[in-house]
Amino acid sequence: MLKFLDCNAAIGRWKHPPIGGYETADELEAVLDYLVVDSAVVYHAQAHEVSPAVGNSLLMEELAGHERLLPSWVIFPHHTGEMPKPETLVAAMLASGVQIARMMPGYDGHRFSLEPWSAGPLLEELADHRVPVFVDFMFFRRDDPDWKLLFELCHRYPELPLVLTGWSGLASRSFYPLCQVCPNLHLDTSGYALYRGVEAFCQKVGGRQLLYGSGLPKRAPGTALTTITHALISDEEKALIAHGNLRRLLEEVVT
């Protein structure tokens, strides 16, 4: 049976809770059992909507004893004093067993620049440890994402695994060539509902840069699962997308 590692799930209480959602680690595990998903990478709603420091602390408390749920801290640059300096922050993450970071630079997140003059020191420290960094795709309030910045980030920090969340099918027109020239760029499939999109991506780019994600609890998880289980691709590619690619990235983290 195909094993699934969900790269994009959350726990905690949202300001506007989704209908049919959940809040606790126990409730998320019950959802994973229903979906026949082995494990999940998790961040906290409060880290998104209130304070990363508060939310990350709540996450670690809630996930205690839940070995199938892997913690992901929400972070941003240290310049305002809300976050520790990069070397302190990354050391604290790794010491706590956290091997995945999440950044929300856009208007629906924490509104900071990913340019080197802002996020450079943090990205460099994360790259030194090869920590996978999940970044919300729609960076800023604009019609088109900053493709040039994505390209430059991937090449400036070639040892840094970047994983984009929140993208959708039409972005394939740019992501095909971008992923071909940026092997450290990966895409979360939670919003990729394009008909036979997974097959097309594997044909054009290959299966090593897609990571299965559900988007729980804000997205219905069925589409993300079935686009992989029913894709006309090899069993090897399915296994890579379902869990293998993220497992590989985690094995490469330098602690």
Side-chain angles (χ1 to χ4, degrees), residues 102-155:
R102 190 178 185 106
M103 292 186 178
M104 302 173 175
Y107 67 88
D108 189 40
H110 301 125
R111 303 193 182 201
F112 62 90
S113 175
L114 284 172
E115 294 284 355
W117 48 262
S118 173
L122 180 54
L123 294 173
E124 288 174 6
E125 187 68 22
L126 291 164
D128 286 344
H129 293 274
R130 299 181 67 91
V131 173
V133 179
F134 285 65
V135 180
D136 283 3
F137 175 53
M138 295 304 293
F139 297 160
F140 308 108
R141 190 188 299 271
R142 53 183 296 170
D143 292 333
D144 197 43
D146 196 335
W147 299 107
K148 184 174 184 291
L149 175 59
L150 275 179
F151 175 85
E152 291 175 348
L153 287 175
C154 289
H155 284 79

Side-chain angles (χ1 to χ4, degrees), residues 214-234:
S214 68
L216 283 166
K218 292 192 172 184
R219 291 183 181 272
T223 300
L225 278 171
T226 54
T227 54
I228 298 170
T229 58
H230 289 64
L232 299 177
I233 58 178
S234 68

